Structure formats: C-alpha cells, structure tokens
Amino acid sequence: MPALAVDAATPVAHAFASCDAARFPAAPLMATDKPEAAAWSADLSAALYNVDGWGAPYFFVNDDGDVAVRPHGAATLPGQEIDLAKVVAKAAGPRQAGGLGLPMPLLVRFPDVLRHRVETLNAAFDYAVRSTGYGSRYQGVYPVKCNQDRYVVEDIVEFGEPFRFGLEAGSKPELLLAMSCLVARGNPDALLVCNGYKDDGYVSLALTARTMGLNTVIVLEQEEELDIVIEASRRLGVRPVVGMRAKLRAKHAGHFGSTSGEKGKFGLNAAQILSVVTKLKAIGMLDCLQLLHFHIGSQIPTTALLSDGVGEAAQIYCELARLGAGMRVIDVGGGLGIDYDGTHSAQTDMSVAYSLEEYAVAVVAAVGRVCDRKGVPHPIVCSESGRALVSHHSVLVFEAFSATAPGQLDAATAYLLDELTDDCRADYRNVMAAAVRGDYDTCGLYADQLKRRSAEQFKEGVLGLEHLAAVDAFCEIVARGMGAPEPPRTYHINLSVFTSLPDMWAIGQQFPIIPIQRLQERPAVDGVLSDLTCDSDGKVCEFIGGRHSLPLHELPTHATRGYYLGMFLGGAYQEALGGLHNLFGGPSVVRVSQSDGPHCFAVTRAAAGPSCADVLRAMQHEPEVMFEVLKQRTDDATAASLARAFGAMPYLVFDPEAAVMSGGESSGMSSDSEGSAAGAAEEDDDEWEFMRGLTV
C-alpha cells in the first residue's frame, strides 16, 4: 500500500460533504465515451442493437422509435408494417379502453412471417434447381419438434400445400398430430418422415398412416428397427416405405456439431447400412428402401462444410441405388442456420456465413455433382429446416418492472463516515488526498482497503450496518469519480428464463433482446436482466455481439406504462423445452396478421397463459380441492380473492385493473354462496361468472 502520512486522530471535518463524483479531477476521456448531449435517433438505436443485421428482412426500428415488423419481408409495402408496441398495447391494454386485458409476458405470433418463410425456403430451392440444371425437385418437411403448437403446424401445412410440403415426426404424439394435420390440410404428395427411436406401436402407427393415403416413410435410426418394421408390415398387410439415417464422417465443431460425425447419437454406419440392404434383399423388400437421411448438425456454419457432408451422403445414396434399392429421396436433415447475432460469420454458434439461397444452391449442386459422376438419376431433395422456418415468426415481449439504483450518499448518511474506527478513517482520508492529487491508482488501492477493512470490522461487530452502507456508497462514488465504468444495473423482468428462454440457461444460446420502444432516445444505462425465479441462474448477462450488458433506458415512473423488451428469433424449441421452475407457466399468446385497418394489424387469436390452477394441475395437485380446504378457514370475501388467485397467471401484475382481468377465467373455483360474492364487491360479479362451474 502506498504510504501517505495521515494522522488518524485528526478530526475529519466533514471533507466528504464536498466529495462527490463531480468534484473529482476530470479523468481522461475514454474512446468509448459519448457526450450525453449528443443527438440520438431511431437509426442510431438500430445500429447499436444491430437490428438490420439479425432482423432483416422482418424487423426494423420505425421513425417513432418502436420495433416494427415487415410481415411479408422485403415485399412488405408502405403502410403494411406492424408496430410491435401497438400490438402490445392492444393485447395488454385494459378492456374498457379497447384492449384485450391479457397479462404479461406475451408471445406475439406473426403467421404472415411464417408464410413468407415457407415461400422463401421453397423459392430458394426452386432457384437452385433451375440454376444448376438439377433433374428433380425440392420437397421439404417441417420437423414438428421445433414448435409443436397446433396453429404453427397447421399454418405450415396450409402454406406449404402448393409446394407438397410435409411434416417430420420424432415420437408417437408428434406422429399423431402430423397425421391429423396432413389428412385435413396437406398435399397428397407431401412426405411424412418418421424419425426417432421406434417400437412396434410407433411403426404400426406409421403403417396405418400409409393406409390413410399419407406418403409415410419410416426412417431407421438403428439396425434392429428393421425387424420391427418387417414384422409389423406382415401383421398389418401394409408394404412399408423405408428410409435409413446414415452416420456420416463429416461434422462441425461447437455445441450443435455434437450430434453429428461418427460418434453421433443417431444413424447407421457403413457396415450396418450394408446389413440392412442384405436383409431387405433376402426377403424381397429392397425396393421398399427409398430414402436416405443424414444430419450434419444444427447451425451448419459454412457452405463448405455443408457441401462436404452432402457430397458424402450423396455417395452413399448412389451406392444404395447401385445395390438395387428403390432410392427416390435424399433427406439432408436440419442444419440451415439462423444469424442470431447479425454478423453473417462462421466464428460462433450464433451466426452462419451464408444466405438461404446460398445454402440451397450448395445442397442441390453437391447432390447433382455426385449423381452425375455415378450416373444415378437425381433424387428428390428433402430438408428438415425447422429452425429456419419458425424462428422469426414469434416475438416474446416482457416487462422490466424495477432496477437497482447507483449508490448515493446524502448528507446525513455521509456523516457516518466520521464514526468509523481510526484505521478506517485513515483509509478514508488517504482516498481523499489521492483523489485531490489526481493519483487514481493510489486512490483505488485505498478505497479497496477501506472497503475490506470495514467489512471485517462489521463482521466483528465493531461497525453497524449503516456504516457499512455508507462506506459502500462512498467507494462507488470514488470509482465513478475516477472514471471507472459504472457496473451494470440489474433490471428485474416479469419472466421466467427457465420457462421462456430455456436455451439461454441450458446451452448458453443467445437471442437478440432489445427494448421495443423509446428507441429514439439514447439508452444510457448498461443493464443485465434478472427473472422472477428463486434461482441464481435465472438471469441474462450475456448478449449478442459479445456484450456482457445491454444498453437500456431509465425505467418510466409508476404513472406510465411499463418498459417492454422483446426477445427475437426464439420461435424454435423454446416453447416445448420450457419447464415449470417455481411453477411459472408459459406466456399469454396472440396471433397478429397484417390487415388494412388503422394500425395495419388484426389480432386473430388471443389466449391468456396458464393460470396458477393450470400449473398446479401439471404437478398432480388438485386446485379445486385445495380451494375447498382453504375457504373453510376464511370468510366469503377472502374466498373470492382466493378463487381469483387460483385463476390468475403466476406472473406479477402491477395494474390493479389488469389483476382483476387476469383472474379466475380458468380456475374452475366457485363459492357456495352467490350472494356472498356480490356482498364482497359488486365489481366481482363478472369474475365469479368465470369461476362458477365446478364446486367440490
């Protein structure tokens, strides 16, 4: 510790009264500092958050400083853009003001974006087929595991019908929903690809789908599944169409490459492929083998790796054709990546170094090149590009309801520094002396020593809690005065990371998160996000672009609406993977379509998220019985409040009117006395009507 001759017994004649960050000698201006008086604009916010990088062609910042949506991509006309902040105002606004009264958080789906994704994917492969002179066609499938929501799957089948677009299932319930949707809405030629591990029940269900006229292909993930297929087909009298997943040598690095290569979870190696061919040939069913499937890995980073893997698989396809299999389709699996951070690079799992069109050309060209060399007719090219289809179509909107404040010392608290022990007061005086000299290194060393010494003396009972708080605030002011960056402030969000952003917690996936309004104002606060759960992992402190904090605005006062953030590109996997940690369920959901109305959109479907009763039922509790037990210990007015609590969503509600609107609609609770509810509060009548229906 640098020596400074200071007499600790000398009275501190409250020098601190004049010691705040503004009175420190000016620290050198850092290259990253921006004068606060500089003008700000929506365009600067768009650049700061790289919206044009990850959001094109669907998301942009409009002149009002709100995030807006181009529902038809680049083909969206002026006047068709949808202001996301206005959608939230409509969905979460009070009913008497024309809103829907939905509780937050809110998932906003844009089926027009989904349609555009389906059309764009098929257009890219159509261009690739035409530009390379390919001798067959593209016919994709949507892997329903990416998002099994009923309306998402139905939309994709409907939008994909002109393209013979089909579905892929990986489990029995997924197969059931795929069968139902394709029978009701699908093109008769659409593929139904059956992946995943299989037993007799799964295989029998897939064969039953063939009897319904569905173009079903049973893909072998393991060699022993062939025996199950043969036995079930004989028992049911249905001749199967079989595919197999090949385990390639090609793989890529990073998290998403762990499912590929020779040590991948799925697929047959060369010896197993030959064994399947031998068995099928021996029983006269080699013509049933018609599809080759493989998976290089999700988020394939480059077209070079893609071409290498597709080329290897095409060689296997041609060998199977040479051996006499009735090959028709090569299924390149998933892997078409999303540019989550907008860098258009191959350096991390958060981006890819190609466009959709470049991906399609690389696939088609690689297959055609190998087949031409081997003299094999070009197969139908299939892909399972689920992430690329659904990621853009939804936005999760949530509210930041409070934030930590920077340390401050008022005059009364500052005088507590005079009551410190002699050695602490000596450190304090040395800090002040070094600050006056502009010796910031020495100042920082003494400030750290003061903080450590005060903490030790607090633990020994020498100093009180008030003294500890005063020292902490003083040291924070010293750090700011020396030009040290202010540590990020914690913004508390009305959300569960585990429920709505599971990939962020589980695998470190990063999604674009930005404010959806006030982007014409400078976001002058660096913040991190902390969720509602009682878990230290329930936070977001890593953001796209390598940031460890997110530029945010000061929160509005309580007299105004909330401060809303949006998480983008999360339409794949997050809903199905989300859990019920702390019994926080999913968000409210609205479907929003472009229309010719005054705000360019129409809400075509709206539903509140799971209630407290719903999440309790999911864990085998019986809310109706719980309510009956509890109401025996209270009066009728409190029973009505309990019923509303069961019917409300688990998330926080800060608008009293919204709390009433969100309660009771799905709880199933009721009172034994209709009059008692009316006596409790006349305005509760409507809520009791929602709750009436099940009495235990």
Side-chain angles (χ1 to χ4, degrees):
M1 172 63 65
L4 268 177
V6 174
D7 183 1
T10 303
V12 182
H14 202 21
F16 187 84
S18 62
C19 175
D20 57 25
R23 296 296 299 271
F24 275 78
L29 186 66
M30 304 299 291
T32 56
D33 292 344
K34 299 183 180 68
E36 288 299 319
W40 196 256
S41 69
D43 288 341
L44 289 175
S45 286
L48 176 66
Y49 297 111
N50 195 22
V51 177
D52 292 339
W54 54 259
Y58 302 107
F59 304 106
F60 71 104
V61 180
N62 65 20
D63 292 340
D64 293 330
D66 297 339
V67 175
V69 181
R70 295 187 179 100
H72 312 299
T76 304
L77 300 175
Q80 293 182 331
E81 300 97 343
I82 300 173
D83 189 313
L84 187 55
K86 291 179 180 177
V87 172
V88 174
K90 174 67 176 178
R95 292 174 180 170
Q96 65 265 33
L100 300 176
L102 291 175
M104 300 296 288
L106 180 70
L107 186 69
V108 185
R109 298 195 195 279
F110 295 96
D112 293 319
V113 172
L114 196 55
R115 179 192 294 272
H116 188 265
R117 295 301 293 173
V118 172
E119 293 174 348
T120 302
L121 176 65
N122 282 276
F125 272 98
D126 179 65
Y127 171 78
V129 166
R130 289 185 289 105
S131 64
T132 61
Y134 193 75
S136 187
R137 66 176 187 270
Y138 170 75
Q139 190 174 329
V141 294
Y142 167 63
V144 297
K145 67 178 181 180
C146 290
N147 193 319
Q148 299 100 334
D149 179 81
R150 169 188 171 184
Y151 299 100
V152 170
V153 178
E154 289 181 353
D155 281 346
I156 289 175
V157 171
E158 179 183 338
F159 301 154
E161 194 277 337
F163 310 106
R164 305 184 185 93
F165 209 78
L167 297 174
E168 179 271 346
S171 66
K172 295 173 192 175
E174 289 186 349
L175 179 53
L176 286 168
L177 76 86
M179 290 167 60
S180 174
C181 196
L182 288 173
V183 165
R185 292 175 167 78
N187 188 301
D189 295 328
L191 290 167
L192 173 51
V193 176
C194 299
N195 289 332
Y197 294 128
K198 301 168 188 70
D199 60 7
D200 180 75
Y202 188 146
V203 171
S204 297
L205 193 58
L207 292 172
T208 300
R210 288 202 64 80
T211 68
M212 298 176 180
L214 295 177
N215 192 6
T216 309
V217 183
I218 302 172
V219 177
L220 305 178
E221 306 281 3
Q222 304 175 95
E223 183 182 355
E224 52 265 35
E225 290 176 356
L226 178 60
D227 296 330
I228 301 174
V229 173
I230 293 171
E231 174 59 29
S233 66
R234 287 172 174 169
R235 186 181 71 251
L236 297 174
V238 179
R239 194 165 180 84
V241 173
V242 178
M244 69 171 75
R245 184 197 293 247
K247 188 175 290 186
L248 304 183
R249 268 73 168 177
K251 65 172 296 181
H252 71 84
H255 171 80
F256 292 113
S258 62
T259 56
S260 62
E262 293 183 274
K263 296 182 180 180
K265 179 179 178 181
F266 302 105
L268 284 68
N269 60 30
Q272 292 168 326
I273 290 173
L274 289 173
S275 177
V276 168
V277 170
T278 300
K279 289 180 182 179
L280 287 173
K281 187 174 183 179
I283 60 175
M285 293 180 64
L286 190 53
D287 62 304
C288 295
L289 179 56
Q290 299 183 14
L291 179 146
L292 178 70
H293 174 41
F294 64 94
H295 180 65
I296 300 173
S298 296
Q299 286 286 109
I300 297 172
T302 65
T303 54
L305 175 60
L306 175 67
S307 297
D308 180 54
V310 174
E312 180 185 348
Q315 291 283 359
I316 298 173
Y317 178 94
C318 291
E319 286 297 295
L320 291 172
R322 179 182 65 82
L323 293 170
M327 302 303 294
R328 295 179 54 248
V329 181
I330 185 166
D331 180 353
V332 303
L336 173 54
I338 293 296
D339 194 357
Y340 289 104
D341 63 14
T343 60
H344 202 67
S345 71
Q347 304 307 311
T348 70
D349 289 337
M350 307 307 159
S351 185
V352 291
Y354 53 80
S355 66
L356 176 55
E357 293 74 17
E358 290 167 338
Y359 174 91
V361 167
V363 168
V364 171
V367 175
R369 185 166 52 248
V370 173
C371 289
D372 289 343
R373 186 168 61 238
K374 292 287 188 176
V376 174
H378 294 178
I380 294 170
V381 174
C382 176
S383 76
E384 302 176 7
S385 306
R387 184 189 301 267
L389 280 179
V390 298
S391 291
H392 298 79
H393 95 281
S394 65
V395 180
L396 178 68
V397 180
F398 51 93
E399 183 177 11
F401 59 88
S402 69
T404 55
Q408 294 181 345
L409 272 181
D410 55 31
T413 306
Y415 275 96
L416 290 168
L417 296 173
D418 294 340
E419 301 174 2
L420 298 177
T421 60
D422 288 350
D423 47 2
C424 286
R425 288 166 57 201
D427 290 335
Y428 165 60
R429 292 292 300 271
N430 286 332
V431 169
M432 295 301 301
V436 170
R437 296 196 311 271
D439 185 353
Y440 295 127
D441 291 339
T442 301
C443 185
L445 290 172
Y446 276 117
D448 289 342
Q449 179 168 293
L450 171 61
K451 198 168 184 177
R452 287 195 303 272
R453 198 192 304 271
S454 298
E456 291 168 359
Q457 293 182 0
F458 172 75
K459 293 175 186 178
E460 295 167 357
V462 176
L463 296 180
L465 190 62
E466 299 91 338
H467 301 100
L468 193 66
V471 169
D472 287 345
F474 169 73
C475 291
E476 186 173 336
I477 290 173
V478 167
R480 292 204 306 269
M482 294 190 310
E486 184 177 336
R489 291 163 57 181
T490 299
Y491 279 60
H492 305 108
I493 56 175
N494 197 13
L495 189 75
S496 165
V497 167
F498 304 94
T499 298
S500 296
L501 307 174
D503 273 350
M504 278 192 167
W505 161 70
I507 63 173
Q509 175 69 42
Q510 294 173 12
F511 299 96
I513 297 176
I514 68 170
I516 67 166
Q517 73 233 82
R518 295 176 58 187
L519 295 175
Q520 78 280 20
E521 305 173 25
R522 175 191 295 275
V525 180
D526 286 329
V528 295
L529 308 179
S530 177
D531 77 353
L532 295 179
T533 64
C534 302
D535 196 304
S536 58
D537 285 334
K539 60 185 178 182
V540 183
C541 52
E542 300 291 336
F543 302 90
I544 63 170
R547 287 181 174 272
H548 301 292
S549 62
L550 184 68
L552 298 168
H553 304 87
E554 293 285 354
L555 292 183
T557 63
H558 291 294
T560 62
R561 295 295 297 176
Y563 185 62
Y564 295 113
L565 303 169
M567 187 273 282
F568 298 81
L569 309 188
Y573 296 109
Q574 304 315 295
E575 295 170 51
L577 290 176
L580 287 175
H581 190 30
N582 273 160
L583 295 187
F584 286 107
S588 300
V589 181
V590 292
R591 282 167 54 89
V592 176
S593 296
Q594 186 265 319
S595 75
D596 297 329
H599 297 304
C600 305
F601 70 87
V603 177
T604 59
R605 183 173 179 81
S611 66
C612 292
D614 293 330
V615 296
L616 287 166
R617 289 190 192 97
M619 303 304 292
Q620 308 304 312
H621 295 279
E622 299 181 54
E624 296 81 13
V625 175
M626 296 164 66
F627 173 68
E628 288 299 320
V629 170
L630 293 172
K631 79 174 185 177
Q632 303 306 318
R633 295 288 187 96
T634 188
D635 56 31
D636 291 328
T638 306
S641 177
L642 279 172
R644 288 195 298 273
F646 275 105
M649 283 177 63
Y651 294 93
L652 304 185
V653 179
F654 302 100
D655 183 345
E657 189 249 354
V660 172
M661 292 299 180
S662 67
E665 296 194 21
S666 59
S667 68
M669 311 302 155
S670 67
S671 169
D672 292 332
S673 171
E674 183 176 344
S676 65
E682 185 175 346
E683 60 270 22
D684 287 343
D685 287 347
D686 291 340
E687 283 67 53
W688 279 98
E689 287 301 321
F690 289 127
M691 291 179 274
R692 203 178 323 280
L694 180 59
T695 303
V696 179

